[in-house]
Amino acid sequence: MPFTAQHPEHGRLDATQPDLGCGVGWEDIHRARAPLSCAACEGRMVARTSVLGLRHFAHRRRTPDCPMAGESVGHLLLKSDLASAGRAAGWDVLLEAAAPHGAWRADVLAVSPDGLRYALEAQLSPITEDAVRERTERYAADGVDVCWFDDRERTRPWMAAVPSLHVTSPDGGPRTVRGVIARYSAGGGWQAVEAVALNEAVAWVLDGRLAQHEERIVYGPGEPWEAYRGRFWTAPHYAAAAQEESARRIAEREAEDVRRRQAQAAKEERAAAYERFWTRTGIGSAWWRSFEAIVRGALGHDTFFGTPSAAYGDGRPLYVKRDGGVRVVAVALPARLGEWVETAPVLVDDVPALHRVADLAFGDVKVFVASPVSESFECWWVRPGGVY
Protein backbone atom coordinates (compact mmCIF):
# COMPACT_ATOMS: atom_id res chain seq x y z
CA MET A 1 0.00 0.00 0.00
CA PRO A 2 2.32 2.76 -1.22
CA PHE A 3 1.79 6.46 -0.70
CA THR A 4 3.05 7.34 -4.18
CA ALA A 5 1.93 6.65 -7.71
CA GLN A 6 2.73 7.93 -11.20
CA HIS A 7 0.14 9.95 -13.14
CA PRO A 8 0.62 10.38 -16.90
CA GLU A 9 -0.14 14.11 -16.73
CA HIS A 10 0.71 15.23 -13.21
CA GLY A 11 3.73 13.02 -12.63
CA ARG A 12 4.50 11.66 -9.17
CA LEU A 13 1.59 11.83 -6.69
CA ASP A 14 2.15 11.86 -2.91
CA ALA A 15 -0.92 10.84 -0.93
CA THR A 16 0.45 12.33 2.30
CA GLN A 17 0.25 15.87 0.92
CA PRO A 18 -3.03 17.82 0.67
CA ASP A 19 -2.43 18.66 -2.99
CA LEU A 20 -0.68 15.35 -3.70
CA GLY A 21 2.51 17.34 -4.22
CA CYS A 22 1.42 18.58 -7.66
CA GLY A 23 -1.54 20.90 -7.08
CA VAL A 24 -4.23 18.23 -7.63
CA GLY A 25 -7.05 17.39 -5.21
CA TRP A 26 -7.46 13.88 -3.86
CA GLU A 27 -11.03 13.67 -5.15
CA ASP A 28 -9.84 14.48 -8.67
CA ILE A 29 -7.75 11.31 -8.56
CA HIS A 30 -9.84 9.10 -6.28
CA ARG A 31 -13.26 9.61 -7.85
CA ALA A 32 -12.06 10.01 -11.41
CA ARG A 33 -10.29 6.65 -11.40
CA ALA A 34 -7.31 8.30 -12.97
CA PRO A 35 -4.82 6.10 -14.85
CA LEU A 36 -2.09 5.48 -12.27
CA SER A 37 0.99 3.28 -12.28
CA CYS A 38 3.53 2.06 -9.73
CA ALA A 39 6.87 3.87 -9.79
CA ALA A 40 8.65 0.64 -8.85
CA CYS A 41 7.06 -2.04 -11.06
CA GLU A 42 4.93 0.07 -13.48
CA GLY A 43 1.87 -1.99 -12.58
CA ARG A 44 -1.56 -0.33 -12.67
CA MET A 45 -2.71 1.28 -9.42
CA VAL A 46 -5.82 2.82 -7.87
CA ALA A 47 -6.31 5.53 -5.24
CA ARG A 48 -7.85 4.30 -1.99
CA THR A 49 -8.74 5.44 1.53
CA SER A 50 -8.38 2.94 4.40
CA VAL A 51 -10.95 2.39 7.14
CA LEU A 52 -8.73 4.62 9.29
CA GLY A 53 -8.98 7.39 6.70
CA LEU A 54 -5.44 6.88 5.46
CA ARG A 55 -5.05 7.87 1.81
CA HIS A 56 -2.83 5.57 -0.24
CA PHE A 57 -2.48 3.76 -3.54
CA ALA A 58 -2.84 0.05 -4.25
CA HIS A 59 -2.00 -2.29 -7.11
CA ARG A 60 -4.99 -3.39 -9.17
CA ARG A 61 -3.59 -6.90 -9.24
CA ARG A 62 -1.47 -8.86 -6.83
CA THR A 63 2.20 -8.06 -7.46
CA PRO A 64 4.34 -10.06 -5.00
CA ASP A 65 7.56 -9.08 -6.78
CA CYS A 66 7.04 -5.33 -6.39
CA PRO A 67 9.23 -3.86 -3.61
CA MET A 68 6.36 -1.57 -2.63
CA ALA A 69 3.75 -4.29 -2.26
CA GLY A 70 2.58 -5.84 0.98
CA GLU A 71 3.13 -2.86 3.28
CA SER A 72 1.12 -3.07 6.50
CA VAL A 73 -1.12 -0.32 7.78
CA GLY A 74 1.29 0.17 10.69
CA HIS A 75 4.15 0.68 8.26
CA LEU A 76 2.13 3.20 6.28
CA LEU A 77 1.16 5.11 9.41
CA LEU A 78 4.75 5.33 10.60
CA LYS A 79 5.92 6.43 7.14
CA SER A 80 3.25 9.11 7.10
CA ASP A 81 4.29 10.41 10.51
CA LEU A 82 7.96 10.44 9.50
CA ALA A 83 7.11 12.39 6.34
CA SER A 84 5.13 14.91 8.39
CA ALA A 85 8.03 15.26 10.83
CA GLY A 86 10.49 15.87 8.01
CA ARG A 87 8.28 18.57 6.50
CA ALA A 88 7.74 20.17 9.92
CA ALA A 89 11.52 20.44 10.22
CA GLY A 90 11.60 22.50 7.02
CA TRP A 91 13.03 19.81 4.74
CA ASP A 92 11.61 18.71 1.41
CA VAL A 93 10.26 15.17 1.65
CA LEU A 94 10.04 12.47 -1.00
CA LEU A 95 8.23 9.26 -0.15
CA GLU A 96 9.36 5.91 -1.52
CA ALA A 97 12.28 7.58 -3.28
CA ALA A 98 14.66 5.22 -5.08
CA ALA A 99 18.30 5.61 -6.04
CA PRO A 100 18.79 5.98 -9.83
CA HIS A 101 20.91 2.83 -9.85
CA GLY A 102 18.43 0.93 -7.67
CA ALA A 103 20.72 0.29 -4.68
CA TRP A 104 18.19 1.64 -2.18
CA ARG A 105 14.62 2.84 -1.84
CA ALA A 106 13.87 5.14 1.08
CA ASP A 107 10.53 5.11 2.86
CA VAL A 108 11.04 8.84 3.44
CA LEU A 109 13.86 10.83 1.87
CA ALA A 110 14.30 14.24 3.49
CA VAL A 111 16.27 16.79 1.46
CA SER A 112 17.60 19.98 3.07
CA PRO A 113 17.58 23.37 1.29
CA ASP A 114 21.33 22.96 0.64
CA GLY A 115 20.97 19.44 -0.77
CA LEU A 116 21.76 17.19 2.18
CA ARG A 117 19.84 13.90 2.06
CA TYR A 118 18.58 11.91 5.02
CA ALA A 119 16.61 8.66 4.76
CA LEU A 120 13.99 7.98 7.44
CA GLU A 121 13.24 4.26 7.38
CA ALA A 122 10.20 2.65 9.02
CA GLN A 123 11.31 -0.89 9.84
CA LEU A 124 8.54 -3.00 11.35
CA SER A 125 9.13 -6.32 9.61
CA PRO A 126 11.80 -8.71 10.95
CA ILE A 127 15.34 -7.98 9.76
CA THR A 128 18.77 -9.28 10.71
CA GLU A 129 21.55 -7.12 12.04
CA ASP A 130 23.70 -7.95 9.01
CA ALA A 131 20.92 -6.96 6.62
CA VAL A 132 20.23 -3.61 8.27
CA ARG A 133 23.96 -2.85 8.39
CA GLU A 134 24.28 -3.67 4.70
CA ARG A 135 21.35 -1.42 3.78
CA THR A 136 22.80 1.38 5.90
CA GLU A 137 26.12 1.01 4.09
CA ARG A 138 24.37 1.26 0.71
CA TYR A 139 22.93 4.60 1.76
CA ALA A 140 26.30 5.77 3.03
CA ALA A 141 27.96 4.86 -0.28
CA ASP A 142 25.71 7.45 -1.94
CA GLY A 143 26.27 10.09 0.73
CA VAL A 144 22.85 9.58 2.31
CA ASP A 145 22.50 9.51 6.10
CA VAL A 146 19.84 7.22 7.52
CA CYS A 147 17.88 6.74 10.71
CA TRP A 148 15.74 3.65 11.31
CA PHE A 149 12.45 3.73 13.24
CA ASP A 150 10.44 0.99 14.95
CA ASP A 151 7.22 1.46 16.93
CA ARG A 152 6.79 -2.03 18.33
CA GLU A 153 6.58 -2.50 22.09
CA ARG A 154 10.13 -3.79 22.58
CA THR A 155 13.33 -2.68 20.92
CA ARG A 156 14.87 -5.09 18.44
CA PRO A 157 18.49 -6.32 18.64
CA TRP A 158 19.40 -4.72 15.30
CA MET A 159 18.56 -1.25 16.66
CA ALA A 160 21.84 -1.14 18.58
CA ALA A 161 23.80 -1.75 15.37
CA VAL A 162 22.63 1.26 13.31
CA PRO A 163 21.33 4.80 13.93
CA SER A 164 17.78 4.20 15.13
CA LEU A 165 14.97 5.57 17.26
CA HIS A 166 12.32 3.58 19.08
CA VAL A 167 8.99 5.41 18.93
CA THR A 168 5.61 4.89 20.53
CA SER A 169 2.71 3.39 18.61
CA PRO A 170 0.09 5.85 17.28
CA ASP A 171 -2.65 4.58 19.59
CA GLY A 172 -2.05 6.86 22.56
CA GLY A 173 -1.89 10.21 20.77
CA PRO A 174 1.12 11.98 19.23
CA ARG A 175 4.14 9.76 18.85
CA THR A 176 7.14 10.20 21.10
CA VAL A 177 10.63 8.74 21.04
CA ARG A 178 11.10 6.07 23.69
CA GLY A 179 14.85 6.10 23.59
CA VAL A 180 17.55 6.51 23.66
CA ILE A 181 18.17 10.24 23.75
CA ALA A 182 20.42 11.30 26.61
CA ARG A 183 21.99 14.36 28.15
CA TYR A 184 25.24 14.51 30.07
CA SER A 185 26.52 16.20 33.20
CA ALA A 186 29.86 15.70 34.90
CA GLY A 187 28.16 15.01 38.21
CA GLY A 188 25.35 12.74 37.01
CA GLY A 189 26.83 11.14 33.91
CA TRP A 190 24.52 10.07 31.09
CA GLN A 191 20.81 10.29 31.83
CA ALA A 192 18.01 9.37 29.43
CA VAL A 193 15.72 12.24 28.48
CA GLU A 194 12.01 11.90 29.15
CA ALA A 195 9.83 11.18 26.09
CA VAL A 196 10.57 13.57 23.21
CA ALA A 197 7.96 14.30 20.56
CA LEU A 198 8.69 12.52 17.28
CA ASN A 199 8.57 15.76 15.27
CA GLU A 200 11.07 17.35 17.63
CA ALA A 201 13.41 14.35 17.61
CA VAL A 202 13.37 14.12 13.80
CA ALA A 203 14.09 17.84 13.51
CA TRP A 204 17.05 17.47 15.89
CA VAL A 205 18.42 14.51 13.92
CA LEU A 206 18.05 16.23 10.54
CA ASP A 207 19.58 19.50 11.73
CA GLY A 208 22.52 17.79 13.44
CA ARG A 209 21.38 18.77 16.92
CA LEU A 210 21.36 15.07 17.76
CA ALA A 211 24.15 12.70 16.83
CA GLN A 212 25.00 9.08 17.55
CA HIS A 213 27.38 8.57 20.44
CA GLU A 214 29.64 5.76 21.49
CA GLU A 215 28.37 2.98 23.72
CA ARG A 216 27.98 3.82 27.39
CA ILE A 217 25.51 2.94 30.09
CA VAL A 218 22.59 5.37 30.12
CA TYR A 219 20.18 5.40 33.04
CA GLY A 220 16.51 5.88 32.35
CA PRO A 221 14.19 8.33 34.07
CA GLY A 222 13.15 5.59 36.51
CA GLU A 223 15.18 3.61 38.99
CA PRO A 224 18.98 3.33 38.59
CA TRP A 225 18.74 -0.30 37.46
CA GLU A 226 16.66 0.72 34.43
CA ALA A 227 19.75 1.08 32.29
CA TYR A 228 20.38 0.97 28.55
CA ARG A 229 23.63 -0.08 26.94
CA GLY A 230 24.31 0.54 23.27
CA ARG A 231 24.20 3.34 20.72
CA PHE A 232 22.21 6.39 21.65
CA TRP A 233 21.58 9.95 20.54
CA THR A 234 22.77 13.12 22.20
CA ALA A 235 23.52 16.74 21.40
CA PRO A 236 27.07 17.38 20.15
CA HIS A 237 27.83 19.68 23.10
CA TYR A 238 26.91 16.88 25.52
CA ALA A 239 29.18 14.51 23.61
CA ALA A 240 31.99 17.09 23.78
CA ALA A 241 31.45 17.57 27.53
CA ALA A 242 31.51 13.80 28.08
CA GLN A 243 34.70 13.52 26.03
CA GLU A 244 36.35 16.30 28.05
CA GLU A 245 35.28 14.71 31.32
CA SER A 246 36.47 11.31 30.11
CA ALA A 247 39.84 12.80 29.11
CA ARG A 248 40.09 14.46 32.52
CA ARG A 249 39.34 11.22 34.33
CA ILE A 250 41.75 9.28 32.14
CA ALA A 251 44.46 11.86 32.89
CA GLU A 252 43.69 11.55 36.61
CA ARG A 253 43.86 7.76 36.45
CA GLU A 254 47.11 7.90 34.50
CA ALA A 255 48.58 10.38 36.99
CA GLU A 256 47.44 8.14 39.85
CA ASP A 257 49.00 5.14 38.10
CA VAL A 258 52.25 7.08 37.78
CA ARG A 259 52.10 8.01 41.48
CA ARG A 260 51.45 4.40 42.44
CA ARG A 261 54.29 3.15 40.26
CA GLN A 262 56.62 5.79 41.65
CA ALA A 263 55.57 4.96 45.20
CA GLN A 264 56.10 1.25 44.54
CA ALA A 265 59.47 1.91 42.95
CA ALA A 266 60.47 4.09 45.92
CA LYS A 267 59.31 1.38 48.32
CA GLU A 268 61.32 -1.24 46.48
CA GLU A 269 64.36 1.05 46.37
CA ARG A 270 64.07 1.69 50.12
CA ALA A 271 63.91 -2.04 50.76
CA ALA A 272 66.93 -2.61 48.54
CA ALA A 273 68.82 0.23 50.24
CA TYR A 274 68.14 -1.27 53.67
CA GLU A 275 69.19 -4.72 52.45
CA ARG A 276 72.48 -3.31 51.14
CA PHE A 277 73.01 -1.39 54.39
CA TRP A 278 72.46 -4.39 56.68
CA THR A 279 74.58 -6.64 54.45
CA ARG A 280 77.45 -4.15 54.29
CA THR A 281 77.51 -3.27 58.00
CA GLY A 282 76.66 -6.73 59.31
CA ILE A 283 74.49 -5.15 62.02
CA GLY A 284 71.55 -7.06 63.46
CA SER A 285 68.28 -5.56 64.60
CA ALA A 286 69.06 -5.82 68.33
CA TRP A 287 72.45 -4.17 67.87
CA TRP A 288 70.88 -1.38 65.84
CA ARG A 289 68.20 -0.73 68.45
CA SER A 290 70.86 -0.30 71.12
CA PHE A 291 72.95 1.93 68.84
CA GLU A 292 69.89 4.06 68.00
CA ALA A 293 68.90 4.43 71.65
CA ILE A 294 72.40 5.68 72.57
CA VAL A 295 72.47 8.15 69.68
CA ARG A 296 69.04 9.59 70.40
CA GLY A 297 69.81 9.75 74.12
CA ALA A 298 72.87 11.85 73.34
CA LEU A 299 71.61 14.00 70.45
CA GLY A 300 67.95 14.35 71.38
CA HIS A 301 64.76 12.34 71.23
CA ASP A 302 63.42 14.59 68.49
CA THR A 303 65.90 12.93 66.12
CA PHE A 304 65.15 9.98 63.83
CA PHE A 305 67.04 7.91 61.28
CA GLY A 306 66.10 7.93 57.62
CA THR A 307 66.56 5.45 54.80
CA PRO A 308 70.11 4.64 53.66
CA SER A 309 70.91 7.23 50.99
CA ALA A 310 73.48 7.38 48.21
CA ALA A 311 73.60 11.14 48.82
CA TYR A 312 75.15 10.34 52.20
CA GLY A 313 77.54 7.59 51.15
CA ASP A 314 74.89 4.84 51.59
CA GLY A 315 74.75 5.68 55.31
CA ARG A 316 71.58 6.43 57.26
CA PRO A 317 71.06 10.18 57.79
CA LEU A 318 69.93 11.29 61.24
CA TYR A 319 67.29 14.01 61.06
CA VAL A 320 66.09 16.48 63.63
CA LYS A 321 62.75 18.29 63.63
CA ARG A 322 63.24 21.98 64.24
CA ASP A 323 61.25 25.12 63.44
CA GLY A 324 58.64 23.27 61.40
CA GLY A 325 61.20 21.49 59.22
CA VAL A 326 63.84 18.77 59.29
CA ARG A 327 67.59 18.81 58.75
CA VAL A 328 70.42 16.27 58.76
CA VAL A 329 72.54 16.42 61.90
CA ALA A 330 74.66 13.26 61.45
CA VAL A 331 75.10 10.19 59.21
CA ALA A 332 75.41 6.63 60.52
CA LEU A 333 77.90 4.11 59.14
CA PRO A 334 78.51 5.55 55.64
CA ALA A 335 80.49 3.58 53.05
CA ARG A 336 81.85 6.82 51.56
CA LEU A 337 82.38 10.41 52.67
CA GLY A 338 81.33 13.52 50.84
CA GLU A 339 81.01 17.27 51.25
CA TRP A 340 78.20 16.65 53.73
CA VAL A 341 80.82 15.85 56.43
CA GLU A 342 81.47 19.60 56.71
CA THR A 343 78.07 20.02 58.43
CA ALA A 344 77.08 16.52 59.57
CA PRO A 345 79.29 14.34 61.80
CA VAL A 346 79.66 10.61 61.22
CA LEU A 347 78.12 8.08 63.60
CA VAL A 348 79.80 4.68 64.13
CA ASP A 349 79.22 1.81 66.57
CA ASP A 350 82.78 0.88 67.58
CA VAL A 351 86.44 1.91 67.39
CA PRO A 352 87.32 -0.25 64.35
CA ALA A 353 84.57 1.59 62.45
CA LEU A 354 86.13 4.86 63.66
CA HIS A 355 89.44 3.88 62.02
CA ARG A 356 87.65 2.93 58.80
CA VAL A 357 86.27 6.46 58.67
CA ALA A 358 89.83 7.78 59.08
CA ASP A 359 90.86 5.73 56.04
CA LEU A 360 88.07 7.38 54.04
CA ALA A 361 88.70 10.94 55.27
CA PHE A 362 90.05 13.66 52.95
CA GLY A 363 90.17 16.26 55.75
CA ASP A 364 89.20 16.70 59.38
CA VAL A 365 85.99 14.81 60.15
CA LYS A 366 83.99 14.79 63.37
CA VAL A 367 82.95 11.27 64.43
CA PHE A 368 80.65 10.10 67.24
CA VAL A 369 81.17 6.57 68.56
CA ALA A 370 77.95 5.14 70.06
CA SER A 371 79.00 1.76 71.41
CA PRO A 372 76.29 -0.78 72.31
CA VAL A 373 78.99 -2.78 74.16
CA SER A 374 80.00 -0.02 76.59
CA GLU A 375 76.76 1.92 76.19
CA SER A 376 78.92 5.04 75.76
CA PHE A 377 78.78 8.01 73.41
CA GLU A 378 82.16 9.64 72.58
CA CYS A 379 83.26 12.40 70.24
CA TRP A 380 86.42 11.94 68.11
CA TRP A 381 88.09 13.68 65.19
CA VAL A 382 89.81 11.91 62.33
CA ARG A 383 91.99 13.04 59.47
CA PRO A 384 93.45 11.03 56.59
CA GLY A 385 95.15 8.06 58.22
CA GLY A 386 94.76 9.15 61.86
CA VAL A 387 92.46 9.55 64.86
CA TYR A 388 92.72 12.28 67.50
Side-chain angles (χ1 to χ4, degrees):
M1 300 186 337
F3 280 127
T4 60
Q6 289 294 125
H7 189 281
E9 181 181 347
H10 301 297
R12 186 182 181 88
L13 306 182
D14 183 346
T16 65
Q17 299 198 58
D19 65 350
L20 303 184
C22 58
V24 177
W26 175 252
E27 294 301 322
D28 295 334
I29 300 298
H30 185 224
R31 298 296 184 189
R33 299 185 179 277
L36 305 174
S37 62
C38 176
C41 70
E42 299 183 354
R44 296 185 65 188
M45 303 189 84
V46 294
R48 288 182 179 174
T49 302
S50 74
V51 294
L52 299 176
L54 189 66
R55 303 188 318 188
H56 64 280
F57 301 100
H59 291 84
R60 283 185 178 273
R61 295 181 179 178
R62 188 170 176 271
T63 53
D65 295 331
C66 179
M68 295 168 64
E71 290 183 300
S72 67
V73 173
H75 188 263
L76 284 176
L77 288 171
L78 182 51
K79 277 204 308 186
S80 177
D81 289 341
L82 293 175
S84 297
R87 293 187 183 110
W91 289 47
D92 291 331
V93 167
L94 300 175
L95 276 88
E96 298 146 6
H101 48 68
W104 49 263
R105 179 182 297 276
D107 285 334
V108 176
L109 184 65
V111 182
S112 71
D114 55 358
L116 296 177
R117 295 181 296 171
Y118 218 117
L120 308 177
E121 283 285 355
Q123 186 61 45
L124 304 187
S125 59
I127 190 171
T128 65
E129 183 176 313
D130 288 342
V132 77
R133 283 184 186 275
E134 192 270 336
R135 288 176 62 183
T136 300
E137 290 167 0
R138 275 188 271 157
Y139 279 116
D142 281 352
V144 180
D145 291 318
V146 60
C147 183
W148 300 80
F149 296 81
D150 189 337
D151 68 0
R152 289 172 293 182
E153 185 64 28
R154 300 182 63 180
T155 58
R156 305 301 168 180
W158 59 263
M159 297 187 76
V162 294
S164 62
L165 284 171
H166 188 208
V167 300
T168 58
S169 65
D171 302 334
R175 291 184 191 264
T176 58
V177 172
R178 292 174 173 171
V180 173
I181 298 175
R183 62 168 60 95
Y184 181 83
S185 67
W190 289 106
Q191 295 286 331
V193 179
E194 295 280 359
V196 176
L198 177 62
N199 280 15
E200 193 171 19
V202 169
W204 292 349
V205 170
L206 294 179
D207 295 341
R209 285 178 285 168
L210 281 183
Q212 287 271 281
H213 195 61
E214 64 189 62
E215 294 185 2
R216 295 288 174 85
I217 293 180
V218 180
Y219 290 102
E223 298 296 331
W225 55 81
E226 295 178 1
Y228 168 90
R229 189 177 185 89
R231 291 175 180 264
F232 62 93
W233 297 85
T234 191
H237 69 274
Y238 285 131
Q243 186 174 7
E244 290 175 5
E245 179 65 12
S246 177
R248 185 188 68 79
R249 292 183 180 183
I250 289 172
E252 284 184 351
R253 287 196 296 270
E254 290 177 346
E256 181 60 29
D257 287 342
V258 169
R259 286 192 291 270
R260 281 199 296 268
R261 288 195 296 270
Q262 290 175 340
Q264 181 62 28
K267 180 179 178 180
E268 292 173 357
E269 175 53 32
R270 284 195 299 271
Y274 277 114
E275 181 65 26
R276 291 192 297 269
F277 181 81
W278 302 128
T279 300
R280 176 175 60 82
T281 61
I283 292 178
S285 58
W287 185 272
W288 176 262
R289 283 195 298 271
S290 294
F291 174 76
E292 182 179 28
I294 294 169
V295 169
R296 295 187 67 202
L299 299 182
H301 290 287
D302 57 350
T303 59
F304 61 95
F305 281 102
T307 303
S309 170
Y312 294 99
D314 292 333
R316 292 190 65 178
L318 179 71
Y319 296 97
V320 64
K321 296 179 181 179
R322 297 279 167 81
D323 302 324
V326 296
R327 63 184 181 87
V328 176
V329 294
V331 178
L333 303 169
R336 303 176 303 280
L337 302 183
E339 293 181 0
W340 51 266
V341 297
E342 297 177 4
T343 57
V346 175
L347 293 165
V348 297
D349 60 334
D350 57 22
V351 172
L354 173 66
H355 287 279
R356 285 195 294 272
V357 173
D359 293 338
L360 298 172
F362 47 81
D364 292 334
V365 178
K366 188 176 184 179
V367 182
F368 292 123
V369 179
S371 173
V373 174
S374 62
E375 297 183 351
S376 62
F377 186 85
E378 300 176 346
C379 178
W380 295 81
W381 284 87
V382 302
R383 60 168 60 99
V387 176
Y388 64 97

